Amino acid sequence: MGMNAANDPRAAGRPSPNKWIRRPPRAAEPRVQLLCFHYAGGGTSSFQQWIGKIPEWVDLRLIQLPGRENRFRERPYSAMRPLVQALADELATVLCPPFLLFGHSMGARVSFALTHELVARGLPLPELLVVSGTPAPSVTDWKHAHHLPEKELIEHLIHLGGVPPQVVENPALLELMLPVIRCDLQLSETSVLTYPRPLDVPILALAGEDDVIAPPEKVQPWGKETSGPFEFVVLPGNHFFLHSLLDETLAPVLRGIERFS
């Protein structure tokens, strides 16, 4: 969850013909797809640094939810069920096995719920689901913030490291983004992610050692959500370790990509 200056719609990247997906150009024939889901308040620009770090033969697809960047005029989702139904509708013809899903914070919860929706529809499933920076579905005692008054919400986001100074100093941008962040947080914090049976999909869970929202002990129970292999990696960072520790975050993801490519 968080915000970065690139979420200003004036700084949005080139729109894709499919508004749900930004697909950076790749030089090589793709051998595997990697679909990435951004955190609350984020957008596809949250993964801008990944583009030069991912092998050219990986078909990188960055998922853009409504309410931000090139979709800033659209109403954001505040409930999980309609969102994953819309995502499954849009991605059904795009998914090309083998593929992996990566999500951070809210994005991890969306990618998990989407995987269950794919199961329900009999659609192809990911070779690996990477859930990063969010408590496991069985963990309920974690800090919720979508209901906080504006001042407290901003303080909460600053404490997480998700609001750079240039955004705090821009009241117009804050006013633009806070309603989207509230919707994203509501979606992330209030969705019940309980299903009749675990996924038959390998899960890799990533946690920041100093993450106040999703410390390691709240992330490790993700292992209960799969009947397949489970890997758990703790990194020495806060909630936004995917930015501050880019290479360390990517290392286990790239190992997974190599395994299934």
Side-chain angles (χ1 to χ4, degrees):
M1 59 192 71
M3 178 197 308
N4 55 49
N7 291 327
D8 183 343
R10 293 167 297 181
R14 184 175 65 238
S16 164
N18 180 334
K19 61 185 178 181
W20 289 85
I21 299 173
R22 180 186 171 206
R23 188 184 183 195
R26 316 302 289 169
E29 187 70 22
R31 304 204 312 253
V32 61
Q33 287 182 336
L34 174 61
L35 286 75
C36 297
F37 297 77
H38 57 74
Y39 46 75
T44 58
S45 59
S46 306
F47 296 102
Q48 184 65 34
Q49 290 180 295
W50 287 43
I51 296 173
K53 299 276 189 177
I54 299 293
E56 287 293 319
W57 45 265
V58 175
D59 185 3
L60 185 62
R61 303 207 175 203
L62 309 177
I63 306 303
Q64 184 78 291
L65 301 188
R68 67 218 72 221
E69 297 180 357
N70 58 297
R71 304 188 67 183
F72 78 100
R73 295 186 184 279
E74 299 177 51
R75 185 184 182 92
Y77 285 85
S78 59
M80 188 69 76
R81 180 68 176 153
L83 171 58
V84 296
Q85 288 177 330
L87 276 169
D89 290 343
E90 293 292 332
L91 297 178
T93 59
V94 173
L95 296 175
C96 183
F99 66 91
L100 293 78
L101 303 184
F102 174 95
H104 185 77
S105 196
M106 175 191 75
R109 305 181 85 78
V110 171
S111 61
F112 174 68
L114 173 62
T115 304
H116 275 282
E117 182 68 17
L118 297 178
V119 171
R121 296 189 185 201
L123 292 171
L125 300 180
E127 301 290 345
L128 178 67
L129 173 62
V130 187
V131 289
S132 172
T134 195
S138 60
V139 176
T140 57
D141 59 334
W142 54 289
K143 182 176 176 61
H144 290 185
H146 70 276
H147 60 286
L148 293 176
E150 182 173 305
K151 183 174 182 295
E152 292 179 36
L153 176 58
I154 293 171
E155 290 173 352
H156 170 73
L157 295 171
I158 292 172
H159 180 56
L160 287 181
V163 185
Q166 64 267 34
V167 175
V168 177
E169 296 164 5
N170 187 333
L173 183 54
L174 269 177
E175 183 179 355
L176 180 71
M177 287 307 304
L178 281 178
V180 177
I181 291 177
R182 280 195 191 277
C183 281
D184 286 355
L185 292 176
Q186 183 177 347
L187 180 142
S188 184
E189 296 168 353
T190 64
S191 299
V192 178
L193 302 179
T194 55
Y195 299 91
R197 59 185 62 86
L199 291 169
D200 186 18
V201 170
I203 290 180
L204 164 63
L206 308 180
E209 192 172 36
D210 302 316
D211 190 338
V212 297
I213 294 295
E217 65 271 17
K218 295 185 188 297
V219 177
Q220 190 168 19
W222 272 104
K224 301 176 183 177
E225 302 302 326
T226 178
S227 59
F230 175 67
E231 184 181 358
F232 178 51
V233 176
V234 178
L235 299 171
N238 63 16
H239 188 66
F240 288 97
F241 59 81
L242 84 163
H243 294 313
S244 61
L245 298 170
L246 176 61
D247 290 339
E248 293 87 343
T249 300
L250 278 174
V253 179
L254 292 175
R255 287 198 300 270
I257 290 172
E258 292 280 356
R259 192 181 317 146
F260 299 110
S261 65

